[in-house]
Amino acid sequence: MDNLTPQDLFSPSKARQKRAQAADWAQIDSWLSYKYSGRTVPTFERNEETLKVLRELATANERADEERMMLERVERDACKELEEDEKTQNAEDEKILRTIEAHLSPEGSESLRALASTAVALNAPSANPETLAHALIANTSTSQTLSNNLAHMQTLQDCLDRQHALLRTQLNELQTNPAFTAPSSVQRQTTEQTRQTKLLRTKIREYEDKLAALQSSQGRNTTTPASKNVSSAEAIADMLEQQSALDALRQRVEGLEKGVDEFAGLPADKEAARKEVGKLEVELDNVRRRRDALFEALVGR
């Protein structure tokens, strides 16, 4: 909070951001002090990038510590279960097993060990040959399915890599080819046409008000028979002249509006407008390719 500026004091969002950064730095300092165990923490530059990296490092370290603690707990539980299993083993069963092993031939001992190893590897509930056969078939089926999925994923990855390379090539073409560069005068022309459109709209409203006033005056003049023929010819000529000027202005405004509408979707920034034009041209090329493909398909039929 010591690095707050006077401007930050009048900005609640900046003050809130500074408080959050101060809390993050306090957590990082506490974590570093714990990790160095009383040793001097090396000095480093305190900025946004360093804080972000240290936060990610602290999060990854905490996650690794949690995983290590879980692994140690699982190992302790497994050792405890093994010890309990050894305590509950029947001495008579061990005696029978040793007697069988002593009277088996070398081939029989090897077969017994192979059977036991297979049951353990397949995680089978018993050493029954039928059970082992079913477990082996299921394991083989799962392995084949995973191999097929892996091959499919590899093919999909290769396709994505090719598409990515193609898109990068097209992006480079759009960024470097002068044909996709918008004219430098687009923004100036758009601004000028917008200004002229506003000016002409103002003039149209002014002429419409004058025309309404003339029509109202003409209506009042025609109410009395004496004044009907006094200024009717002049008023009609003036009205026709104003109407012609108004029609010409309307046509000009409509033409300018159509010209401005062509650039309505483009951003104000020149580089962003160029990128938008390039993107639209790429979409146009894609639509043309699809059209040509559909046409070829129709011709092939």
Side-chain angles (χ1 to χ4, degrees):
M1 298 295 290
D2 297 336
N3 56 354
L4 285 174
T5 61
Q7 291 80 8
D8 296 336
L9 296 176
F10 297 97
S11 177
S13 59
K14 290 185 177 179
R16 193 161 47 246
Q17 183 180 4
K18 293 292 184 181
R19 287 195 298 270
Q21 290 180 355
D24 291 340
W25 277 117
Q27 294 179 357
I28 293 299
D29 292 336
S30 175
W31 176 69
L32 290 175
S33 300
Y34 171 74
K35 288 299 178 182
Y36 277 87
S37 302
R39 293 175 295 172
T40 303
V41 178
T43 57
F44 52 87
E45 184 178 356
R46 292 176 174 262
N47 52 33
E48 283 288 339
E49 295 181 357
T50 306
L51 178 60
K52 180 180 178 181
V53 172
L54 289 176
R55 277 202 303 258
E56 293 177 354
L57 181 61
T59 303
N61 186 264
E62 292 177 358
R63 191 181 301 112
D65 290 341
E66 293 177 357
E67 292 177 356
R68 179 174 50 81
M69 293 174 61
M70 291 176 61
L71 182 60
E72 291 177 354
R73 184 166 60 250
V74 170
E75 289 179 351
R76 288 195 301 268
D77 294 340
C79 292
K80 185 176 179 181
E81 290 180 0
L82 289 175
E83 292 176 356
E84 292 178 354
D85 290 340
E86 291 178 355
K87 292 179 181 179
T88 57
Q89 285 180 355
N90 193 347
E92 188 66 25
D93 292 340
E94 292 182 2
K95 183 178 179 181
I96 294 173
L97 179 60
R98 291 194 187 95
T99 303
I100 293 173
E101 289 178 348
H103 289 81
L104 284 175
S105 61
E107 293 80 4
S109 299
E110 185 66 26
S111 300
L112 181 61
R113 283 193 295 271
L115 184 63
S117 301
T118 304
V120 172
L122 295 176
N123 196 20
S126 67
N128 186 3
E130 185 177 355
T131 303
L132 294 178
H134 286 293
L136 184 60
I137 292 172
N139 192 12
T140 304
S141 176
T142 303
S143 177
Q144 185 64 32
T145 302
L146 292 176
S147 299
N148 293 336
N149 291 337
L150 183 61
H152 177 70
M153 294 299 294
Q154 185 63 40
T155 304
L156 182 60
Q157 179 67 33
D158 295 339
C159 180
L160 290 177
D161 291 339
R162 290 193 297 271
Q163 291 294 331
H164 184 261
L166 178 61
L167 289 176
R168 282 194 173 276
T169 304
Q170 292 178 352
L171 178 61
N172 186 32
E173 178 70 16
L174 291 174
Q175 292 176 347
T176 57
N177 193 345
F180 299 108
T181 303
S184 58
S185 59
V186 169
Q187 185 175 1
R188 181 177 56 80
Q189 291 177 356
T190 303
T191 304
E192 180 65 21
Q193 290 179 353
T194 303
R195 186 186 65 80
Q196 292 181 3
T197 301
K198 292 181 180 179
L199 180 61
L200 291 175
R201 284 177 178 173
T202 303
K203 289 184 178 181
I204 286 176
R205 286 194 294 270
E206 180 181 352
Y207 286 131
E208 286 178 347
D209 294 339
K210 289 182 179 180
L211 180 60
L214 287 173
Q215 290 176 349
S216 176
S217 175
Q218 183 67 23
R220 288 194 301 271
N221 290 333
T222 55
T223 52
T224 58
S227 61
K228 185 178 296 184
N229 298 322
V230 175
S231 60
S232 60
E234 265 184 12
I236 291 174
D238 192 8
M239 186 184 302
L240 291 175
E241 183 179 355
Q242 295 290 339
Q243 183 67 31
S244 300
L246 181 61
D247 293 338
L249 285 175
R250 283 179 177 173
Q251 293 177 358
R252 187 178 178 186
V253 169
E254 290 176 356
L256 290 174
E257 287 179 346
K258 290 180 180 178
V260 172
D261 290 339
E262 293 180 357
F263 302 96
L266 295 178
D269 184 59
K270 180 173 68 176
E271 295 298 328
R274 290 178 179 177
K275 293 180 180 179
E276 187 66 22
V277 170
K279 186 187 297 183
L280 292 175
E281 289 178 349
V282 171
E283 293 178 359
L284 178 60
D285 290 338
N286 293 332
V287 172
R288 286 175 177 172
R289 293 193 193 97
R290 289 197 296 269
R291 181 199 63 187
D292 295 339
L294 291 173
F295 180 78
E296 292 176 358
L298 291 174
V299 172
R301 292 181 181 178

